[in-house]
Amino acid sequence: MNREIELKIVDLDCPDCAASLEKGISRLKGVKNCSLEFATGKINLSIDNQIIDREKVIKEISRLGHVAVDKSAGGHEVSETKGRGSLARLKDILLMVAVTAMLIEIALSVFDQPGYLQIIFSVTAILTGGLFIFRSAFYALKNLTADMNLLMSLAVIGAVIIGEWSEAAVTIVLFSIANYLEGRSVRKAHRAFKSLTEQIPHEIEMETADGPQRVRLEDLKQGDIILLKPGMTCPTDCEIAEGTAYINQAAVTGESMPVSKTEGDKLLGGSINTDGFLKARVLKPFSDSTLTRIMHMVEEAASRKSRLASIVDRFAKVYTPIVVGIAILVFAIPVLFFHGAFETWFYRALVFLVISCPCALVISTPVAVICGLTRSARGGILIKGGVFLEKLANVRAVLFDKTGTLTEGRFGVVHVVSLDGHSSDNIIALAASVEQFSEHPIAGAILEHARSMKIKPFESRDFRAFPGEGARAQIEGSQYTIGSHRFFHDSDITDVELHKKVTDFEDKGYSLVLLARDDRLIGAIALADMAKSESAEAIAELYQSGISESVMLTGDNARTAESIAEQLGIRHVESQLLPEEKSKLVQKYREKYGLVAMVGDGINDAPALALADVGIAMGTGGSDLAIEAADVAIIGDNPKMVPKSIKLSRRTLGIIKFNIVFSLLVKFIFMILAGLGLATLWMAVFADMGTSLLVIANSLRLLQK
Ligand code: ADP
Ligand code: MG
């Protein structure tokens, strides 16, 4: 029987070690489909129960030189820090000894002290600085893989063979320092995305029968009432049960302006109560809150490789063997055919071995991706993988759904037209009777209007919704239909008076629905929906950032759509669309422009979102379905997050490209220098270390405010 398990490696410092560890585990008997992701340390594999079990796998991993913890066993955070702790301390001490020994050795050589003393300190530095490297090299060798530990060990052993004690010591110690610094900066990137939830306290005051009591977040259950004082962060998704306050939701939605919330309003976990005293009812346990889920998703996203990352990985896999091959040729050809001096060319070959380590190159992409994803998550933009980061950066056209995306999506009835001797109240009553079973925002507005006018809907039967068109139901033996122009065909409005009124309303940007009994129009309702205040700016920013086209898609009629588009500065409008026509248009724009993003409110625009290269769900407010369905989820409902996410993706992609080119360039320069005999071993290590650190630092810039 095969079983899927998930473990976490807590001491991964370099992508290369991750690759060789993955290979090592894959080789174990009874293990299949092992995949280890460097970015998160997560390792998924399926095991054959009869041959191997979880504990055995963990043991094997520690034999391969790494510490694994069981993610499913609970309380892994504790064992994670402990697991890292003791090993990390040992590594730190060894590194300190190695550095000291190396410095003494250098001092000795400067003051021309006896050679045997220099050798003693060199050996000390090599052994302490290289212990873990040699160990990993040994496992790599056992696994028949050539990772950088092996290459570095060979280079150092080679240097020792030709008597370059000091070179060997400096090389290995620099390499250890590089590993140490690299591990630290990579962990910094990891911590940054963990910090998404770190601002949340571990305990909270809860109302109980015996007064307020402190409880741990994990113990909160749905329905519990928690107390939020001014300045406190709401730990999980709640609903305000008592009180009013300005809430800062920046951590979840990226929106820094506090909004006023009161009884009945939803509080997302991670939002801060700035000034009021609130009692809040827990809606979701902590483990299931929006913020916790965002974190999991970012983590998952980070482990999905982008196209560039896969190319880099593939390249790295052939790069190393090729350069090792060059190293052998650099040594063999001059020595065998041109009477080259053994030591000179052997040394140059060793430098090539060091250059063949692809570390900076391999690290160039994943760290930037983690930082980019973390940065956008902090702003309430959830990008579901490096792939979408890349696509977003290259988007040519952005299609927007109108209602709820560019507009508030909250309609209000502004006018009622009645025909055939019906009263306005009667029209509202009939419309409300049909709409009482509909989930459409227009239906909501009509029902709300009826309630406020104290108009009671009639009983209705056989309700049927026509998505994007309207709805129909039976009331007292007659069939009533409500919906858009298109639903009734424009030409059916023969009443001149009505036609004029309708057109007037539409030119003002009102949405209009018609009501008919059987085949006869009996009334019309004009509804207003406000454009979001940020929509126009968002569109302007998109055009400024060089997007070829922004388009508004809507099921609403042409005149209304044009009027709103004009307010927003959108040049292209596609109106009177049925949901399936929206998807067809996505296809059309893809052919015309290339990469296309579709922004919608998530649920009813699902097919179009799925068809676009990047589906952006907006205003998800933590709704599971919408977050799950989209490629990019914007938690708040600010359309300006769309240009923001595109800019951020472009910046991230720019950093990734720079990193790749820069690390390749440094390697290339060093190959030439090494061939000419101008580069020493330690210079090559130093350059590699410098490049790695620079590439990481460049990526970490994404996290700065
Ligand atoms: P949008 O594309 O703007 O999100 P929809 O596709 O949901 O709009 O609806 C398109 C049009 O169909 C609406 O503008 C409205 O005229 C009509 N319509 C759809 N459902 C209903 C309904 N339940 N009641 C009245 N009109 C409706
Ligand atoms: Mg819609």
Side-chain angles (χ1 to χ4, degrees):
M1 244 270 289
N2 276 333
R3 215 156 53 98
E4 303 290 323
I5 61 173
E6 182 177 311
L7 301 170
K8 189 162 181 160
I9 309 291
V10 292
D11 62 341
L12 275 183
D13 291 338
C14 65
D16 212 35
C17 322
S20 70
L21 180 61
E22 182 184 279
K23 263 196 200 152
I25 301 171
S26 303
R27 289 232 170 84
L28 296 175
K29 260 215 178 75
V31 170
K32 265 206 276 286
N33 305 331
C34 168
S35 81
L36 167 59
E37 184 43 54
F38 163 67
T40 54
K42 247 204 288 196
I43 177 161
N44 287 298
L45 53 145
S46 72
I47 51 171
D48 188 334
N49 272 351
Q50 248 118 54
I51 304 177
I52 199 165
D53 62 11
R54 195 188 290 262
E55 279 62 49
K56 189 90 185 297
V57 174
I58 295 181
K59 224 189 254 150
E60 288 293 335
I61 291 174
S62 78
R63 280 201 337 106
L64 291 172
H66 290 278
V67 181
V69 294
D70 194 340
K71 274 208 95 170
S72 51
H76 63 273
E77 295 294 341
V78 184
S79 53
E80 213 169 285
T81 37
K82 225 168 58 194
R84 247 206 73 70
S86 49
L87 196 71
R89 247 199 317 280
L90 179 59
K91 282 187 180 175
D92 289 352
I93 293 170
L94 284 176
L95 184 59
M96 246 144 53
V97 175
V99 172
T100 317
M102 180 190 78
L103 290 176
I104 294 176
E105 189 272 335
I106 291 174
L108 287 174
S109 69
V110 169
F111 296 112
D112 224 7
Q113 291 303 304
Y116 74 92
L117 262 183
Q118 287 180 37
I119 293 180
I120 288 176
F121 280 102
S122 295
V123 171
T124 314
I126 293 171
L127 292 182
T128 49
L131 182 64
F132 281 93
I133 296 161
F134 298 144
R135 192 175 85 136
S136 304
F138 172 71
Y139 289 120
L141 201 61
K142 249 176 76 180
N143 282 325
L144 300 174
T145 57
D147 74 351
M148 61 174 190
N149 293 303
L150 181 60
L151 295 169
M152 207 52 84
S153 305
L154 288 178
V156 167
I157 293 169
V160 168
I161 289 174
I162 52 174
E164 295 284 355
W165 290 99
S166 169
E167 274 282 295
V170 175
T171 303
I172 202 86
V173 172
L174 277 181
F175 183 64
S176 300
I177 295 175
N179 273 348
Y180 169 80
L181 291 178
E182 224 173 88
R184 258 180 60 141
S185 4
V186 169
R187 275 194 296 278
K188 189 167 160 194
H190 284 187
R191 257 202 315 278
F193 92 48
K194 278 204 175 129
S195 75
L196 284 172
T197 55
E198 241 163 35
Q199 53 206 308
I200 294 182
H202 296 290
E203 286 186 338
I204 187 95
E205 262 188 316
M206 184 177 107
E207 204 173 61
T208 67
D210 329 311
Q213 233 165 50
R214 295 196 75 78
V215 290
R216 295 189 321 149
L217 296 189
E218 293 77 37
D219 298 334
L220 283 178
K221 289 181 304 294
Q222 198 180 340
D224 285 347
I225 299 280
I226 54 171
L227 309 175
L228 296 172
K229 292 180 187 138
M232 276 174 67
T233 304
C234 179
T236 181
D237 299 355
C238 294
E239 182 188 70
I240 299 182
E242 208 182 297
T244 303
Y246 275 98
I247 307 294
N248 182 342
Q249 312 190 86
V252 250
T253 64
E255 204 67 67
S256 51
M257 271 294 278
V259 285
S260 170
K261 294 206 175 196
T262 186
E263 257 174 70
D265 287 340
K266 209 172 153 187
L267 286 179
L268 291 175
S271 46
I272 301 167
N273 168 15
T274 61
D275 59 350
F277 176 77
L278 299 175
K279 291 188 178 179
R281 188 173 300 109
V282 174
L283 294 177
K284 282 183 186 159
F286 178 64
S287 60
D288 211 20
S289 81
T290 302
L291 203 62
T292 315
R293 283 209 335 275
I294 289 181
M295 232 193 75
H296 283 308
M297 287 210 182
V298 174
E299 192 167 310
E300 257 172 51
S303 64
R304 265 181 235 136
K305 278 210 178 99
S306 67
R307 195 182 48 97
L308 261 178
S310 332
I311 293 176
V312 168
D313 280 1
R314 271 205 304 269
F315 177 77
K317 281 206 181 96
V318 293
Y319 169 83
T320 304
I322 288 176
V323 183
V324 172
I326 297 179
I328 294 171
L329 293 181
V330 160
F331 169 67
I333 294 177
V335 172
L336 292 181
F337 303 112
F338 299 100
H339 309 291
F342 175 91
E343 282 206 5
T344 314
W345 292 101
F346 186 74
Y347 183 81
R348 290 184 192 178
L350 293 181
V351 178
F352 265 90
L353 273 191
V354 173
I355 297 173
S356 73
C357 296
C359 207
L361 183 64
V362 178
I363 215 166
S364 61
T365 337
V367 179
V369 169
I370 300 176
C371 293
L373 295 178
T374 305
R375 175 61 193 267
S376 52
R378 276 190 195 161
I381 304 164
L382 248 170
I383 302 176
K384 301 263 274 293
V387 193
F388 300 113
L389 205 69
E390 259 174 54
K391 285 189 178 170
L392 256 184
N394 294 312
V395 153
R396 302 301 319 143
V398 184
L399 314 183
F400 286 93
D401 170 53
K402 179 187 71 115
T403 316
T405 304
L406 290 174
T407 68
E408 298 282 352
R410 282 193 297 270
F411 287 93
V413 173
V414 286
H415 206 91
V416 183
V417 184
S418 52
L419 304 169
D420 266 9
H422 287 273
S423 71
S424 310
D425 284 6
N426 194 224
I427 296 294
I428 289 294
L430 288 167
S433 319
V434 180
E435 297 282 29
Q436 55 193 327
F437 302 111
S438 166
E439 47 35 81
H440 200 273
I442 289 186
I446 293 176
L447 286 167
E448 178 57 41
H449 186 68
R451 240 192 317 275
S452 72
M453 307 269 295
K454 305 226 159 34
I455 298 172
K456 269 192 91 122
F458 307 110
E459 251 175 53
S460 62
R461 293 185 298 116
D462 301 337
F463 171 82
R464 186 161 167 220
F466 299 84
E469 292 187 300
R472 179 175 287 164
Q474 299 279 339
I475 305 166
E476 289 173 1
S478 297
Q479 175 178 275
Y480 287 83
T481 310
I482 187 163
S484 67
H485 259 194
R486 175 183 173 148
F487 200 26
F488 292 94
H489 308 292
D490 268 27
S491 54
D492 284 4
I493 308 182
T494 43
D495 188 313
V496 182
E497 184 89 357
L498 177 65
H499 191 82
K500 190 180 166 313
K501 273 191 184 158
V502 164
T503 332
D504 276 355
F505 285 138
E506 288 174 354
D507 285 337
K508 284 191 183 133
Y510 296 151
S511 294
L512 212 101
V513 290
L514 304 173
L515 179 67
R517 177 167 61 207
D518 299 323
D519 295 334
R520 251 188 101 73
L521 282 179
I522 56 169
I525 301 172
L527 300 109
D529 178 18
M530 297 239 295
K532 285 182 193 164
S533 53
E534 305 92 349
S535 293
E537 273 173 71
I539 301 295
E541 269 181 45
L542 277 180
Y543 280 124
Q544 265 163 32
S545 66
I547 292 284
S548 310
E549 203 52 85
S550 300
V551 186
M552 182 167 96
L553 306 183
T554 180
D556 220 338
N557 66 75
R559 260 195 218 90
T560 314
E562 296 285 354
S563 155
I564 291 183
E566 203 175 319
Q567 290 172 37
L568 298 183
I570 286 201
R571 293 186 216 134
H572 262 68
V573 186
E574 304 273 2
S575 53
Q576 306 198 16
L577 300 171
L578 295 181
E580 62 271 21
E581 289 170 332
K582 287 189 185 170
S583 330
K584 280 209 197 93
L585 275 172
V586 170
Q587 194 56 42
K588 183 185 120 188
Y589 280 99
R590 284 185 68 187
E591 279 155 24
K592 190 161 163 204
Y593 290 106
L595 282 185
V596 161
M598 165 83 204
V599 191
D601 45 14
I603 301 155
N604 47 18
D605 298 311
L609 290 181
L611 206 65
D613 298 290
V614 190
I616 306 179
M618 202 164 78
T620 61
S623 128
D624 302 12
L625 200 73
I627 292 184
E628 224 93 350
D631 304 325
V632 176
I634 292 174
I635 309 296
D637 53 10
N638 185 347
K640 277 171 83 174
M641 291 298 171
V642 175
K644 189 170 164 192
S645 65
I646 291 178
K647 279 180 199 153
L648 213 125
S649 305
R650 286 185 184 167
R651 200 170 150 217
T652 311
L653 199 65
I655 284 181
I656 292 175
K657 283 183 178 159
F658 173 87
N659 285 352
I660 293 176
V661 171
F662 182 73
S663 40
L664 280 177
L665 200 70
V666 171
K667 289 282 177 199
F668 186 70
I669 292 173
F670 261 81
M671 274 188 216
I672 294 174
L673 290 180
L676 296 175
L678 295 174
T680 65
L681 269 184
W682 71 264
M683 275 187 208
V685 178
F686 199 73
D688 197 54
M689 168 173 102
T691 319
S692 299
L693 293 178
L694 205 120
V695 153
I696 296 172
N698 192 26
S699 308
L700 286 173
R701 279 192 309 138
L702 280 167
L703 293 175
Q704 277 156 19
K705 283 270 145 64

